[in-house]
Amino acid sequence: QVQLVESGGGLVQPGGSLRLSCAASGSIFSINDMGWYRQAPGKERELVARISRGGTTNYADPVKGRFTISRDNAKNTVYLQTNSLKPDDTAVYYCNAYVYSRGISYGMDYWGRGTLVTVSS
């Protein structure tokens, strides 16, 4: 069993910053891609950013130049530095990881429960 736990969300004023973290724990052999998604009220979940195990990144157009994804493979943790936040960034942010567990030959997708980011004055 693998768990992903996000932290770092909260209320921030427009133009502010937050650093989100997501730690994976459990029976982990290795983790391939990790990513952040978000879901705003009344909207579908959408990709924010993803990072490969080797560090290759890709970002959704609305966050390019403002958000930075990174990871610490030794800690099984992925981060999202969010800068110049806008009200449109308000959403629940979810962590995602493709995990190979010990003793299992195939990988599986796991999701965290989400952390709320509210951008408002």
Side-chain angles (χ1 to χ4, degrees), residues 44-69:
E44 305 227 337
R45 190 174 298 189
E46 62 179 8
L47 171 70
V48 176
R50 292 194 65 81
I51 184 168
S52 71
R53 182 171 180 82
T56 300
T57 59
N58 67 285
Y59 296 90
D61 285 345
V63 308
K64 282 181 180 176
R66 299 188 299 123
F67 292 8
T68 302
I69 190 170

mmCIF file of all heavy atoms in Angstrom, residues 44-69:
data_model
loop_
_atom_site.group_PDB
_atom_site.id
_atom_site.type_symbol
_atom_site.label_atom_id
_atom_site.label_comp_id
_atom_site.label_asym_id
_atom_site.label_seq_id
_atom_site.Cartn_x
_atom_site.Cartn_y
_atom_site.Cartn_z
ATOM 1 N N GLU A 44 -13.195 20.669 -14.269
ATOM 2 C CA GLU A 44 -12.568 19.358 -14.277
ATOM 3 C C GLU A 44 -11.134 19.457 -13.737
ATOM 4 O O GLU A 44 -10.522 20.520 -13.765
ATOM 5 C CB GLU A 44 -12.532 18.806 -15.704
ATOM 6 C CG GLU A 44 -13.890 18.757 -16.371
ATOM 7 C CD GLU A 44 -14.158 17.434 -17.053
ATOM 8 O OE1 GLU A 44 -13.191 16.734 -17.391
ATOM 9 O OE2 GLU A 44 -15.335 17.103 -17.251
ATOM 10 N N ARG A 45 -10.627 18.312 -13.261
ATOM 11 C CA ARG A 45 -9.251 18.267 -12.809
ATOM 12 C C ARG A 45 -8.331 18.471 -14.011
ATOM 13 O O ARG A 45 -8.548 17.893 -15.078
ATOM 14 C CB ARG A 45 -8.951 16.926 -12.129
ATOM 15 C CG ARG A 45 -7.620 16.875 -11.417
ATOM 16 C CD ARG A 45 -7.453 15.575 -10.656
ATOM 17 N NE ARG A 45 -8.462 15.423 -9.604
ATOM 18 C CZ ARG A 45 -8.425 14.456 -8.696
ATOM 19 N NH1 ARG A 45 -7.434 13.566 -8.699
ATOM 20 N NH2 ARG A 45 -9.370 14.377 -7.783
ATOM 21 N N GLU A 46 -7.274 19.270 -13.835
ATOM 22 C CA GLU A 46 -6.364 19.565 -14.930
ATOM 23 C C GLU A 46 -4.916 19.442 -14.472
ATOM 24 O O GLU A 46 -4.598 19.624 -13.296
ATOM 25 C CB GLU A 46 -6.598 20.993 -15.453
ATOM 26 C CG GLU A 46 -6.337 22.084 -14.441
ATOM 27 C CD GLU A 46 -6.547 23.486 -15.008
ATOM 28 O OE1 GLU A 46 -7.034 23.625 -16.134
ATOM 29 O OE2 GLU A 46 -6.202 24.454 -14.292
ATOM 30 N N LEU A 47 -4.064 19.136 -15.437
ATOM 31 C CA LEU A 47 -2.638 19.051 -15.162
ATOM 32 C C LEU A 47 -2.078 20.431 -14.838
ATOM 33 O O LEU A 47 -2.393 21.413 -15.507
ATOM 34 C CB LEU A 47 -1.905 18.475 -16.375
ATOM 35 C CG LEU A 47 -0.386 18.527 -16.332
ATOM 36 C CD1 LEU A 47 0.155 17.557 -15.298
ATOM 37 C CD2 LEU A 47 0.193 18.251 -17.706
ATOM 38 N N VAL A 48 -1.216 20.489 -13.827
ATOM 39 C CA VAL A 48 -0.461 21.703 -13.528
ATOM 40 C C VAL A 48 0.988 21.516 -13.990
ATOM 41 O O VAL A 48 1.513 22.316 -14.756
ATOM 42 C CB VAL A 48 -0.488 22.018 -12.023
ATOM 43 C CG1 VAL A 48 0.388 23.219 -11.709
ATOM 44 C CG2 VAL A 48 -1.919 22.250 -11.549
ATOM 45 N N ALA A 49 1.630 20.447 -13.520
ATOM 46 C CA ALA A 49 3.021 20.195 -13.875
ATOM 47 C C ALA A 49 3.356 18.744 -13.581
ATOM 48 O O ALA A 49 2.769 18.134 -12.678
ATOM 49 C CB ALA A 49 3.960 21.113 -13.091
ATOM 50 N N ARG A 50 4.318 18.194 -14.333
ATOM 51 C CA ARG A 50 4.798 16.835 -14.105
ATOM 52 C C ARG A 50 6.315 16.835 -14.186
ATOM 53 O O ARG A 50 6.926 17.701 -14.826
ATOM 54 C CB ARG A 50 4.233 15.861 -15.143
ATOM 55 C CG ARG A 50 2.752 15.641 -15.007
ATOM 56 C CD ARG A 50 2.280 14.431 -15.811
ATOM 57 N NE ARG A 50 2.822 13.172 -15.327
ATOM 58 C CZ ARG A 50 2.328 12.498 -14.290
ATOM 59 N NH1 ARG A 50 1.300 12.978 -13.610
ATOM 60 N NH2 ARG A 50 2.868 11.336 -13.924
ATOM 61 N N ILE A 51 6.921 15.843 -13.515
ATOM 62 C CA ILE A 51 8.364 15.705 -13.527
ATOM 63 C C ILE A 51 8.716 14.225 -13.570
ATOM 64 O O ILE A 51 8.139 13.422 -12.834
ATOM 65 C CB ILE A 51 8.990 16.411 -12.299
ATOM 66 C CG1 ILE A 51 10.517 16.367 -12.357
ATOM 67 C CG2 ILE A 51 8.466 15.836 -10.984
ATOM 68 C CD1 ILE A 51 11.193 17.293 -11.343
ATOM 69 N N SER A 52 9.653 13.890 -14.446
ATOM 70 C CA SER A 52 10.095 12.500 -14.545
ATOM 71 C C SER A 52 11.104 12.199 -13.436
ATOM 72 O O SER A 52 11.588 13.108 -12.750
ATOM 73 C CB SER A 52 10.742 12.247 -15.904
ATOM 74 O OG SER A 52 12.000 12.918 -15.967
ATOM 75 N N ARG A 53 11.432 10.935 -13.291
ATOM 76 C CA ARG A 53 12.407 10.559 -12.275
ATOM 77 C C ARG A 53 13.756 11.231 -12.542
ATOM 78 O O ARG A 53 14.470 11.605 -11.626
ATOM 79 C CB ARG A 53 12.571 9.037 -12.232
ATOM 80 C CG ARG A 53 13.541 8.572 -11.161
ATOM 81 C CD ARG A 53 13.535 7.076 -10.966
ATOM 82 N NE ARG A 53 14.466 6.689 -9.934
ATOM 83 C CZ ARG A 53 14.196 6.733 -8.637
ATOM 84 N NH1 ARG A 53 12.996 7.151 -8.222
ATOM 85 N NH2 ARG A 53 15.111 6.373 -7.740
ATOM 86 N N GLY A 54 14.052 11.433 -13.816
ATOM 87 C CA GLY A 54 15.316 12.063 -14.187
ATOM 88 C C GLY A 54 15.287 13.578 -14.150
ATOM 89 O O GLY A 54 16.317 14.215 -14.384
ATOM 90 N N GLY A 55 14.106 14.160 -13.894
ATOM 91 C CA GLY A 55 14.029 15.602 -13.741
ATOM 92 C C GLY A 55 13.465 16.367 -14.928
ATOM 93 O O GLY A 55 13.417 17.598 -14.888
ATOM 94 N N THR A 56 13.025 15.672 -15.953
ATOM 95 C CA THR A 56 12.388 16.361 -17.084
ATOM 96 C C THR A 56 11.019 16.854 -16.654
ATOM 97 O O THR A 56 10.230 16.110 -16.067
ATOM 98 C CB THR A 56 12.245 15.413 -18.280
ATOM 99 O OG1 THR A 56 13.545 14.971 -18.674
ATOM 100 C CG2 THR A 56 11.591 16.124 -19.449
ATOM 101 N N THR A 57 10.755 18.117 -16.963
ATOM 102 C CA THR A 57 9.502 18.737 -16.494
ATOM 103 C C THR A 57 8.634 19.185 -17.655
ATOM 104 O O THR A 57 9.116 19.431 -18.767
ATOM 105 C CB THR A 57 9.804 19.960 -15.619
ATOM 106 O OG1 THR A 57 10.555 20.912 -16.387
ATOM 107 C CG2 THR A 57 10.599 19.579 -14.383
ATOM 108 N N ASN A 58 7.338 19.272 -17.396
ATOM 109 C CA ASN A 58 6.443 19.952 -18.320
ATOM 110 C C ASN A 58 5.345 20.644 -17.512
ATOM 111 O O ASN A 58 4.975 20.178 -16.433
ATOM 112 C CB ASN A 58 5.858 19.014 -19.379
ATOM 113 C CG ASN A 58 4.908 17.978 -18.822
ATOM 114 O OD1 ASN A 58 5.334 17.020 -18.211
ATOM 115 N ND2 ASN A 58 3.612 18.189 -19.020
ATOM 116 N N TYR A 59 4.883 21.761 -18.049
ATOM 117 C CA TYR A 59 3.948 22.629 -17.347
ATOM 118 C C TYR A 59 2.745 22.964 -18.221
ATOM 119 O O TYR A 59 2.861 23.073 -19.436
ATOM 120 C CB TYR A 59 4.637 23.946 -16.967
ATOM 121 C CG TYR A 59 5.781 23.805 -15.999
ATOM 122 C CD1 TYR A 59 7.079 23.603 -16.453
ATOM 123 C CD2 TYR A 59 5.559 23.863 -14.628
ATOM 124 C CE1 TYR A 59 8.123 23.471 -15.557
ATOM 125 C CE2 TYR A 59 6.597 23.739 -13.730
ATOM 126 C CZ TYR A 59 7.882 23.535 -14.201
ATOM 127 O OH TYR A 59 8.918 23.398 -13.318
ATOM 128 N N ALA A 60 1.623 23.162 -17.566
ATOM 129 C CA ALA A 60 0.465 23.694 -18.268
ATOM 130 C C ALA A 60 0.736 25.157 -18.609
ATOM 131 O O ALA A 60 1.399 25.870 -17.845
ATOM 132 C CB ALA A 60 -0.769 23.568 -17.387
ATOM 133 N N ASP A 61 0.201 25.601 -19.735
ATOM 134 C CA ASP A 61 0.471 26.970 -20.184
ATOM 135 C C ASP A 61 0.120 28.033 -19.136
ATOM 136 O O ASP A 61 0.869 29.000 -18.982
ATOM 137 C CB ASP A 61 -0.284 27.245 -21.489
ATOM 138 C CG ASP A 61 0.361 26.565 -22.681
ATOM 139 O OD1 ASP A 61 1.524 26.132 -22.568
ATOM 140 O OD2 ASP A 61 -0.307 26.447 -23.724
ATOM 141 N N PRO A 62 -0.999 27.916 -18.419
ATOM 142 C CA PRO A 62 -1.360 28.988 -17.473
ATOM 143 C C PRO A 62 -0.356 29.207 -16.335
ATOM 144 O O PRO A 62 -0.387 30.257 -15.681
ATOM 145 C CB PRO A 62 -2.711 28.531 -16.910
ATOM 146 C CG PRO A 62 -3.265 27.632 -17.946
ATOM 147 C CD PRO A 62 -2.083 26.917 -18.512
ATOM 148 N N VAL A 63 0.503 28.217 -16.066
ATOM 149 C CA VAL A 63 1.417 28.347 -14.924
ATOM 150 C C VAL A 63 2.877 28.491 -15.346
ATOM 151 O O VAL A 63 3.749 28.685 -14.489
ATOM 152 C CB VAL A 63 1.281 27.159 -13.949
ATOM 153 C CG1 VAL A 63 -0.181 26.961 -13.554
ATOM 154 C CG2 VAL A 63 1.846 25.875 -14.527
ATOM 155 N N LYS A 64 3.150 28.408 -16.634
ATOM 156 C CA LYS A 64 4.538 28.511 -17.099
ATOM 157 C C LYS A 64 5.142 29.848 -16.683
ATOM 158 O O LYS A 64 4.508 30.898 -16.823
ATOM 159 C CB LYS A 64 4.596 28.369 -18.619
ATOM 160 C CG LYS A 64 4.467 26.948 -19.104
ATOM 161 C CD LYS A 64 4.553 26.873 -20.628
ATOM 162 C CE LYS A 64 4.423 25.439 -21.101
ATOM 163 N NZ LYS A 64 4.419 25.340 -22.585
ATOM 164 N N GLY A 65 6.355 29.781 -16.146
ATOM 165 C CA GLY A 65 7.031 30.992 -15.705
ATOM 166 C C GLY A 65 6.673 31.413 -14.293
ATOM 167 O O GLY A 65 7.326 32.298 -13.727
ATOM 168 N N ARG A 66 5.646 30.803 -13.702
ATOM 169 C CA ARG A 66 5.237 31.172 -12.339
ATOM 170 C C ARG A 66 5.411 30.012 -11.360
ATOM 171 O O ARG A 66 5.697 30.236 -10.185
ATOM 172 C CB ARG A 66 3.777 31.614 -12.327
ATOM 173 C CG ARG A 66 3.483 32.825 -13.188
ATOM 174 C CD ARG A 66 2.045 33.329 -12.983
ATOM 175 N NE ARG A 66 1.049 32.331 -13.352
ATOM 176 C CZ ARG A 66 0.113 31.874 -12.535
ATOM 177 N NH1 ARG A 66 0.044 32.303 -11.278
ATOM 178 N NH2 ARG A 66 -0.767 30.977 -12.961
ATOM 179 N N PHE A 67 5.203 28.791 -11.815
ATOM 180 C CA PHE A 67 5.294 27.606 -10.951
ATOM 181 C C PHE A 67 6.533 26.801 -11.320
ATOM 182 O O PHE A 67 6.932 26.747 -12.486
ATOM 183 C CB PHE A 67 4.073 26.709 -11.114
ATOM 184 C CG PHE A 67 2.782 27.279 -10.599
ATOM 185 C CD1 PHE A 67 2.665 28.586 -10.165
ATOM 186 C CD2 PHE A 67 1.646 26.462 -10.546
ATOM 187 C CE1 PHE A 67 1.464 29.097 -9.695
ATOM 188 C CE2 PHE A 67 0.446 26.954 -10.077
ATOM 189 C CZ PHE A 67 0.359 28.275 -9.657
ATOM 190 N N THR A 68 7.123 26.155 -10.321
ATOM 191 C CA THR A 68 8.271 25.288 -10.537
ATOM 192 C C THR A 68 8.079 23.979 -9.793
ATOM 193 O O THR A 68 7.837 23.988 -8.574
ATOM 194 C CB THR A 68 9.573 25.948 -10.052
ATOM 195 O OG1 THR A 68 9.759 27.196 -10.729
ATOM 196 C CG2 THR A 68 10.768 25.046 -10.333
ATOM 197 N N ILE A 69 8.166 22.873 -10.533
ATOM 198 C CA ILE A 69 8.064 21.551 -9.919
ATOM 199 C C ILE A 69 9.465 20.986 -9.718
ATOM 200 O O ILE A 69 10.361 21.189 -10.553
ATOM 201 C CB ILE A 69 7.194 20.611 -10.780
ATOM 202 C CG1 ILE A 69 6.888 19.309 -10.023
ATOM 203 C CG2 ILE A 69 7.834 20.334 -12.130
ATOM 204 C CD1 ILE A 69 5.849 18.433 -10.710
#
